Structures are given as C-alpha cells and as structure tokens.
Amino acid sequence: MRTDSSPGSLPAREHLPAAGAGTPVLDVVVPVFNEERDLGPCVLRLHEHLTRTFPYAFRITVADNASTDGTPHVAARLAADLAAVRSVRLEQKGRGRALRTVWSASDAPVLAYMDVDLSTDLNALLPLVAPLISGHSDLAIGSRLARSSRVVRGAKREFISRSYNLILRGSLQARFSDAQCGFKAIRRDVAQVLLPLVEDSGWFFDTEMLVLAERAGCRIHEVPVDWVDDPDSTVHIVRTATEDLKGVWRVGKALATGSLPLDRLARPFGDDPRDRDLAGVPQGLARQLVGFCVVGALSTLCYLLLYSGFRHFAGSQPANALALLVSAVANTAANRRLTFGVRGRGGAVRHQAQGLVVFGIGLALTSGSLAALSAATADPDHSTELAVLIAANLAATVLRFLLFRAWVFPDPPPTAPAPEPHLTGSHLPDPQRTWSDAR
C-alpha cells in the first residue's frame, strides 16, 4: 500500500468557478489497448454527443496502453482532425496506469473516463458530471445495479458483477453499488489527493479509488445507467476477477492494520455537517452504541469460548483472567477502529494501556462475582459459573462503554470555525459570468 505524501487535505466542496476561455471543463479519457476497429466510431460518436448536448468546453483524451496494432495511428488521426481530441501514448499496459497518468496531468476541473465499447448510454454523461460541477459531490459512478437501471447482459457476467459487489460490501464495508462499471468521474482537486494513495495500475484501480474516497468521507454520486453488454469484449474475466480479489485482500489488510494514512484525507472543518459542534446534538452516540454492542457481543462470545477452553487445564480464576485479558486487547482494538473511528497507529499503545485499566475493573467485577459464588456454593456447576459471569460482564460492559467514550476515546475539543471573509464589491462574483462563457 502506498504511503508516500499526498498533496494535502481534501478540499472543501464548492461550485467550480467559471473557467477561462479555451479551458475545458471536462476531460473524458478513453483508455484503449489494440482497439483500432472500435476507437474511431467511439470517439466520433462521443465527440458528436458532447458537441450537441454538453453546455461546457470539453476534451476527449485517448490513452493508448502500449497497443501493438494500428490503434496509435487511429488516435493520431482523430487528434489531427478534431480540435477537442488529443492522444496520449503509454509504453506500459494497465487501465489504472493510463487513468492516473492522464488525470494527474489534466488541467480540466472534472475528469471522467468511459470504456471504448460505449456500452453505457451517453445520455447519462451530463447527470454523471453535473453534481461534480455544482460542488454537491466529489466522485460520480454509473451503476448497472440500481433499481432503475436497464441492463442487457448474460447471466455469467451478471452473476460475477453482483458477487463481486457483495464481496466488497462484506469485506470492505463498501456502500457504493457498482465498482466495475466503466463510467466514472472525479473532481480534479479530489483526484490530486487520492491518486497518490492508489496502488493498483490495472482493473482494480477503480475499486481501490472508490474505497479510499468513501473511507475519507467523500460523497459518491450514483447514476442509474442503460447498459448493453459488448459480446466482443476482450476482458479476461477469470484473470481480472483474480486480480480484483488480490486487491480486495491488500486493501482490507491495510485498513485493518491502520497502515493506510487516511487521517491525511480529513476534510476542512465545516464541510461535513457531522463535524460541527451543535448544542444539544450528540456526536454520533447512536452509531457508537450500535458499534460497541456489536463488538461487545463478539468479544463476549470470544471470552466465553476462551474461558471454557482455559478451564480444562486451569482453575476458574486463572481461566477467567486469561480469557478476559485476550478478549480485552481485541475488544479495545476493535472499538478503537470500528466504534470510535480512530485511524492510524498514533496513540495505539496509550489506548491499549487505558483499555487494560478498564480491563482491570472488569476483572475485579467478574472475579468478585466468582469469589462470591464460591463462598455461597462449595462446588458450583459450570452452567452456573457461566450465568454469573454473563451477568457480571453485562455490568462491566456498561461501565466499559462509559469509560471508553469519556476517557479512552473522548471526542476531540471543538475547533473554532475560521472567520468568514469580508466580501467587497471587487470580490463578488460577476452575475453575468456563466459557464457558457467557457465555450
């Protein structure tokens, strides 16, 4: 996973300012590899559609991924014939590499890409980029799995696509519905921050970028699309699926270990209303309670299994202490990341030390309960021990949540918002200046 420095924090969302004359608002990248037959009709159709329907200046960039057929000559001819088309040649294959190269060098404020087969109906292009221009969203994706999408494709591809997205939801907690549709857009200022953190250079590039964007708090807009499968597609399904699963494992491992520096992607205060300090509005209490209960249920199950195992070769008190210690370390780590949203390794040792103090309190409660049970009954059966321990753990759980929230993982102190700039007449936007001037 990449850990090199990113350009800085993600920018606050705002409506894109009017571009200067001749500067494209949108740069649509068409990555190709040995597509000499389809490239010409694709670019001509896309150019005609944008000229007829798109109200802003645009550019079409053909990104040639080391083609060995006549694709470079077709791309060069299109660039010579159409002023809004340019061609970029890469000597290495990889769709992700092509998108990273072109997007990193583009001067357009909105960057998009689509597959050369144009399986997605082009009428979805303006709805795709409009939320990025307005400042409402950071990224936009076409979705073939939305309820109102109309899709024509075989059962095999349908099964693979839905299975892959279920894997993403289950393993990486992804909330977007379709990671593989070749129809996406991103604001350039957001891309400049995200791209240095994206490691993949192939087909998993899209998924990795979306997962990082979602974890960083970016807003992803989804557009239902009409999509018709290309029966002549050259994508190798098995190899692509294998590489995607490897990518899921790599990103999941990086997120679980905290090696991905997502803390550098925090948005400026005030952009997200959840960051605001509002009187009388609890800061994520409901979400924290749900997360804590889920983690607590799993760690309690783990504790009971460990206790039952340790009890076979140790007394009740040593078994209780060992089981509680192991489950407490795991519980603190899980609550740190999942319940209270602490990312990275900073403060992890201190949090575990504080968690051990909380563990000591829980140990006192459960050990005291066992001591009281032993005093009351000379030889209590195993089921009675477990019942007493469950009751004691419930009491310890309530206390643990309160201590975690107030002491181990307290909310950061509120940050005073920056003073609003004083707008004078020379700084006010010109109401006569519109996006159409860019054309």
Side-chain angles (χ1 to χ4, degrees), residues 93-290:
K93 290 177 61 177
R95 183 181 67 173
R97 179 178 289 106
L99 294 177
R100 187 199 316 277
T101 301
V102 176
W103 283 356
S104 298
S106 180
D107 59 347
V110 176
L111 312 168
Y113 96 88
M114 60 183 61
D115 293 335
V116 69
D117 57 16
L118 294 185
S119 295
T120 304
D121 182 42
L122 293 178
N123 287 327
L125 183 55
L126 184 56
L128 184 80
V129 301
L132 309 188
I133 294 174
S134 69
H136 176 271
S137 301
D138 303 291
L139 298 90
I141 64 174
S143 176
R144 299 163 296 184
L145 303 181
R147 289 182 179 275
S148 56
S149 298
R150 293 177 290 187
V151 177
V152 179
R153 62 176 168 180
K156 180 180 179 181
R157 286 182 176 269
E158 181 77 10
F159 174 78
I160 292 175
S161 178
R162 290 188 178 275
S163 298
Y164 179 64
N165 284 281
L166 284 175
I167 290 173
L168 293 180
R169 288 176 177 268
S171 60
L172 301 180
Q173 288 79 52
R175 295 190 298 272
F176 47 85
S177 66
D178 191 353
Q180 294 177 307
C181 183
F183 195 70
K184 296 182 176 70
I186 185 173
R187 287 172 62 108
R188 184 186 63 182
D189 49 10
V190 176
Q192 288 174 341
V193 181
L194 285 179
L195 291 183
L197 299 177
V198 179
E199 182 174 334
D200 191 80
S201 296
W203 292 97
F204 187 69
F205 174 89
D206 303 44
T207 301
E208 186 171 357
M209 180 181 68
L210 289 172
V211 170
L212 297 183
E214 194 170 71
R215 293 301 182 98
C218 293
R219 176 175 286 160
I220 301 175
H221 178 72
E222 296 198 18
V223 179
V225 297
D226 298 341
W227 195 87
V228 179
D229 191 15
D230 178 14
D232 298 324
S233 175
T234 58
V235 177
H236 193 288
I237 296 178
V238 175
R239 183 170 63 244
T240 301
T242 302
E243 294 301 317
D244 285 346
L245 292 177
K246 290 180 180 178
V248 170
W249 170 259
R250 173 175 53 80
V251 172
K253 181 180 178 181
L255 291 172
T257 59
S259 62
L260 193 64
L262 290 176
D263 55 314
R264 292 204 311 248
L265 302 182
R267 287 194 165 280
F269 177 83
D271 181 69
D272 192 329
R274 294 171 297 181
D275 295 335
R276 300 172 189 167
D277 185 21
L278 302 177
V281 180
Q283 297 293 306
L285 178 59
R287 181 188 60 80
Q288 289 178 357
L289 277 172
V290 172

Side-chain angles (χ1 to χ4, degrees), residues 364-376:
L365 284 173
T366 53
S367 297
S369 300
L370 284 175
L373 178 63
S374 298

Side-chain angles (χ1 to χ4, degrees), residues 380-388:
D381 57 40
H382 188 59
S383 59
T384 304
E385 281 186 347
L386 289 180
V388 170

